[in-house]
Amino acid sequence: MTHNVLVLPGDGIGPEIIAEAVKVLEACKQKFGLDLTIDSALLGGAAIDATGSPLPEDTMAKAKASDAILLGAVGGPKWDTLDMAIRPEKGLLGIRSGLALFGNLRPAILYPQLAAASTLKPEVVSGLDILIVRELTGGIYFGQPRGVRTLDTGERQGYNTYVYSESEIRRIGKVAFEAARARNGKLCSVDKANVLEVTVLWREIMESMAKDYPDVELSHMYVDNAAMQLVRAPKQFDVLVTGNMFGDILSDAAAMLTGSIGMLPSASLDANGKGMYEPCHGSAPDIAGENKANPLATILSAAMMLRYSLGEGAVADAIEEAVSSVLDQGLRTLDIASDGCQIVGTESMGEAVVSALISG
Ligand code: NAD
């Protein structure tokens, strides 16, 4: 069966890192006979410049017709003064919600070769392999009403609404329980049930779902404690599940455990396993066009795409092994550099992964 993949390079370093991921996918076609077509479309600032919209209709139509999507990153100072409604980030939120990509999987794996690149002590992070499951299309980022209003006193007041319906909690719970079942059977649900009613319901639903997963050990933790535990003893976790805003913050903290945000891939899935895959980082305008960006998070996102949406787990394994192999060779982009390693640029890193894949 032919897999139809859509790539959305986006802005900043997006086109540079996507180019390397595409080289790796092309190499997989050659080495494993992977039957894959790759189309591309505009999103974010690049789409605004070309069409006036951060999410053109053509892009949405191609995204709907594809089997999976690989995204670079969007945004940058050039578009920061535009109205909120037509900012690059609006295109990203639009495609996530338009495709109902509610399940965000963010693995944080520390490659042993990078233990020295983490800001935490090697013994705290070595061997780290955790998965954060973040709800992506609900919670306070989408809740209505929202805005800034003027009170009778004349004072302005900003407000947002934190809402989760039972069905939204159940569907992200299912993703998390099943991910935990496929890993080490430990799931920690993160909430703020001591203060927020919406997360009292969250905890109640997670607890009720646990009966259907007797092989998964469910625990609960308040988000403030979870933030502390992630930097104190992150290896106590296997899978964490949480809402949109808590997941946004905790997954960036988890990124630093692995040495660099340039190493972290992610998947955003719908109810049928179709997904959009992207590095956890942004468009890094400070290094865009300088051949300095680490392409490994994007290459690892392509591996996740093959595993979760395209049923090509063995090819995904081969990509991950090739990444590990280039790290063994001592090759490093600047963000993961340490003493005694060889600094390489974006293109050389991508080419090294291709060579390791072909010869592996
Ligand atoms: P960022 O992740 O782009 O950059 C933060 C820091 O990490 C920078 O110093 C950058 O150079 C570095 N960095 C990021 N990715 C790297 C890589 N692959 N290799 C080496 N270094 C890397 O975050 P930011 O600076 O807060 O945001 C920049 C722009 O990206 C903004 O416009 C923001 O809105 C956008 N953004 C987009 C996404 C997305 O597309 N999913 C996510 C976050 C931020």
Side-chain angles (χ1 to χ4, degrees):
M1 196 183 79
T2 306
H3 305 302
N4 298 309
V5 170
L6 179 69
V7 298
L8 302 170
D11 311 315
I13 61 169
E16 297 168 62
I17 53 180
I18 282 287
E20 300 313 312
V22 167
K23 280 183 202 164
V24 171
L25 288 172
E26 293 293 347
C28 291
K29 286 166 71 172
Q30 188 188 325
K31 166 111 183 176
F32 302 105
L34 189 67
D35 191 358
L36 187 109
T37 67
I38 302 175
D39 195 1
S40 73
L42 297 170
L43 183 76
I48 295 171
D49 289 350
T51 71
S53 160
L55 176 55
E57 275 175 26
D58 171 66
T59 299
M60 199 61 203
K62 283 183 172 176
K64 284 187 172 154
S66 68
D67 297 317
I69 301 152
L70 185 64
L71 166 71
V74 299
K78 181 177 176 191
W79 304 280
D80 276 353
T81 50
L82 291 177
D83 188 83
M84 274 290 196
I86 51 155
R87 289 254 187 106
E89 292 76 6
K90 202 75 187 170
L92 185 59
L93 292 179
I95 197 165
R96 283 176 181 165
S97 62
L99 297 175
L101 303 174
F102 66 90
N104 188 216
L105 308 187
R106 294 187 164 203
I109 297 170
L110 179 75
Y111 282 85
Q113 304 92 323
L114 297 183
S118 174
T119 46
L120 275 81
K121 292 183 193 133
E123 63 268 28
V124 174
V125 288
S126 66
L128 182 80
D129 180 355
I130 63 176
L131 175 69
I132 297 185
V133 178
R134 167 188 170 195
E135 201 290 328
L136 202 60
T137 54
I140 196 163
Y141 290 0
F142 289 89
Q144 295 288 346
R146 61 192 295 161
V148 178
R149 60 192 162 204
T150 304
L151 302 175
D152 293 343
T153 57
E155 187 186 17
R156 287 191 308 147
Q157 183 185 57
Y159 60 101
N160 288 87
T161 306
Y162 191 178
V163 280
Y164 269 120
S165 63
E166 207 171 328
S167 58
E168 284 177 308
I169 302 169
R170 271 189 200 289
R171 66 180 188 175
I172 193 68
K174 184 166 180 279
V175 171
F177 273 103
E178 285 177 5
R181 171 175 274 175
R183 290 170 50 101
N184 297 316
K186 269 176 67 186
L187 176 62
C188 178
S189 172
V190 176
D191 60 40
K192 190 72 183 165
N194 51 340
V195 179
L196 299 169
E197 286 81 353
V198 50
T199 68
V200 172
L201 180 69
W202 176 284
R203 188 176 281 219
E204 193 187 306
I205 302 290
M206 290 293 165
E207 201 56 52
S208 74
M209 292 184 76
K211 297 181 192 76
D212 298 329
Y213 298 88
D215 48 334
V216 175
E217 180 197 322
L218 174 70
S219 61
H220 305 276
M221 195 178 276
Y222 297 138
V223 63
D224 40 349
N225 187 23
M228 183 172 74
Q229 296 300 333
L230 262 179
V231 290
R232 191 188 75 85
K235 285 186 275 182
Q236 69 184 281
F237 297 113
D238 179 21
V239 180
L240 291 134
V241 61
T242 191
N244 205 344
M245 180 169 63
F246 296 161
D248 193 2
I249 298 164
L250 293 181
S251 58
D252 265 29
M256 273 326 292
L257 305 176
T258 69
S260 167
I261 201 163
M263 292 299 300
L264 277 197
S266 79
S268 307
L269 304 174
D270 75 2
N272 304 312
K274 175 169 172 169
M276 185 161 81
Y277 297 80
E278 56 182 303
C280 288
H281 57 74
S283 59
D286 52 333
I287 55 168
E290 296 182 15
N291 194 32
K292 282 185 184 162
N294 184 347
L296 294 180
T298 315
I299 291 170
L300 292 168
S301 299
M304 285 187 87
M305 174 179 80
L306 289 163
R307 178 175 294 119
Y308 288 103
S309 286
L310 306 180
E312 301 281 359
V315 184
D317 289 347
I319 294 177
E320 287 163 357
E321 278 159 28
V323 167
S324 188
S325 158
V326 299
L327 295 175
D328 280 340
Q329 293 163 33
L331 304 184
R332 304 280 189 276
T333 43
L334 270 176
D335 58 309
I336 50 172
S338 57
D339 288 347
C341 61
Q342 185 190 340
I343 309 279
V344 294
T346 311
E347 282 180 31
S348 301
M349 185 57 108
E351 280 153 19
V353 175
V354 168
S355 301
L357 190 74
I358 297 290
S359 62

